Amino acid sequence: LVALEIATKEMEMNHGLVVSDLHLFSRRSDGEKLWTQIDQHRGNAEILILNGDTFDFRWSQFSAEAESIEAALAWVERLTRDGRWKQIHYIFGNHDCLDEFTRELRQLSAERQMLECHELHLQLGRCFFLHGDCANSRMTPADLKRYRASWSKDRPRGAWSKALYDGVDALGVSKVFHELYFPRERTIGRIVHHLNQVFPEWREQVDHCYFGHTHQPFSGETHEGVAFHNTGSGIRGMGFQPLCFTTSSDPQ
């Protein structure tokens, strides 16, 4: 009987949903509308992974950075109270790693047991999650640290810059750029290069790797026995692809 109980516990599974790149507050984002439809993707998931760039502080429509941060914290706090999720893991991306926001969100995490913050990546069972900005080039950990440091001090752009950016985006320039700069094989190669340095044992310990950032959704691209998945983006016209995952519970 004891052996049967242990075997049963080993087979218990946790179900989750991973979402990235909502870019909330940006004019070019459909993130709010897409989020209202999230239950269509959720299935029986009780774990939520917000895998970076949930908010877009650089291109926020709020007039002041403090307003954006306050609205972002309120959004996450509502999420912790709506009863749908037993665990929420917030992984920072380049657009939402502002120093002030990360400090405030970590404080909220200290007050909400279900909420955990992660600077760069997270492993749950044999699933690995990272935002994916290490795919900009063949980045070392030091390269990524420098890149994130510049974004952590970023400031919102002015009205003229936002209008110009929105206009260029409406012409489809951003979509073409992402398609050309982040072809699937090259992108996975850059992710692998980074994983080799920050997590040398990843091939033995991971079955699935989930990332965003590139706004190029795909699923199940296998490299050295590990399946890579990109969850797309809430940016209008880019392709939004929340994905379910399953991970084993640790036996008690």
Side-chain angles (χ1 to χ4, degrees):
L1 179 59
V2 173
L4 177 61
E5 289 176 348
I6 293 175
T8 302
K9 288 181 179 179
E10 287 177 342
M11 294 189 64
E12 287 179 353
M13 307 297 281
N14 293 320
H15 301 278
L17 181 72
V18 54
V19 179
S20 69
D21 296 86
L22 287 168
H23 284 272
L24 298 176
F25 309 152
S26 171
R27 190 183 304 276
R28 65 194 183 119
S29 170
D30 283 335
E32 286 286 4
K33 180 176 70 175
L34 292 167
W35 185 256
T36 64
Q37 303 165 6
I38 203 67
D39 282 336
Q40 298 175 14
H41 306 276
R42 181 186 169 200
N44 59 348
E46 296 181 322
I47 301 170
L48 174 66
I49 312 291
L50 294 170
N51 206 7
D53 288 0
T54 300
F55 306 103
D56 193 329
F57 294 114
R58 171 177 284 190
W59 302 109
S60 174
Q61 296 178 68
F62 287 97
S63 58
E65 182 179 285
E67 291 181 76
S68 297
I69 292 173
E70 183 179 359
L73 292 168
W75 191 91
V76 177
E77 184 172 20
R78 287 195 300 272
L79 197 59
T80 66
R81 295 180 181 276
D82 74 4
R84 285 185 288 183
W85 311 102
K86 289 186 176 179
Q87 296 177 35
I88 300 172
H89 294 274
Y90 194 109
I91 301 172
F92 294 104
N94 53 301
H95 276 276
D96 57 2
C97 69
L98 281 179
D99 282 342
E100 182 62 27
F101 175 65
T102 60
R103 281 194 295 270
E104 294 287 343
L105 192 64
R106 289 185 188 282
Q107 178 58 44
L108 179 61
S109 175
E111 300 168 2
R112 302 282 191 276
Q113 187 175 5
M114 66 180 311
L115 174 64
E116 294 187 22
C117 298
H118 310 274
E119 182 179 2
L120 296 173
H121 45 68
L122 165 70
Q123 184 179 4
L124 291 178
R126 297 185 63 84
C127 296
F128 194 82
F129 306 88
L130 71 166
H131 176 56
D133 41 345
C134 60
N136 285 353
S137 61
R138 291 173 66 83
M139 282 188 175
T140 66
D143 292 333
L144 183 57
K145 185 176 180 179
R146 284 191 293 270
Y147 176 75
R148 284 289 185 93
S150 66
W151 279 93
S152 72
K153 309 295 183 186
D154 199 42
R155 290 293 176 263
R157 299 305 189 253
W160 283 105
S161 294
K162 290 176 183 178
L164 178 62
Y165 190 70
D166 289 343
V168 169
D169 196 65
L171 293 173
V173 175
S174 294
K175 182 175 176 62
V176 172
F177 170 80
H178 281 79
E179 289 172 348
L180 293 176
Y181 193 78
F182 294 111
R184 191 175 304 182
E185 185 175 345
R186 183 187 303 167
T187 299
I188 292 175
R190 291 169 176 168
I191 296 284
V192 166
H193 174 80
H194 189 74
L195 288 176
N196 285 340
Q197 298 175 70
V198 300
F199 187 16
E201 304 84 12
W202 67 273
R203 292 170 181 82
E204 292 75 38
Q205 297 186 23
V206 171
D207 293 328
H208 297 274
C209 179
Y210 298 88
F211 66 101
H213 183 67
T214 70
H215 301 184
Q216 299 293 298
F218 64 83
S219 184
E221 190 75 15
T222 302
H223 180 92
E224 299 185 52
V226 175
F228 287 79
H229 316 269
N230 188 287
T231 44
S233 170
I235 297 297
R236 196 169 299 113
M238 288 291 194
F240 184 59
Q241 184 176 263
L243 292 172
C244 291
F245 65 90
T246 305
T247 183
S248 299
S249 300
D250 292 332
Q252 301 297 317

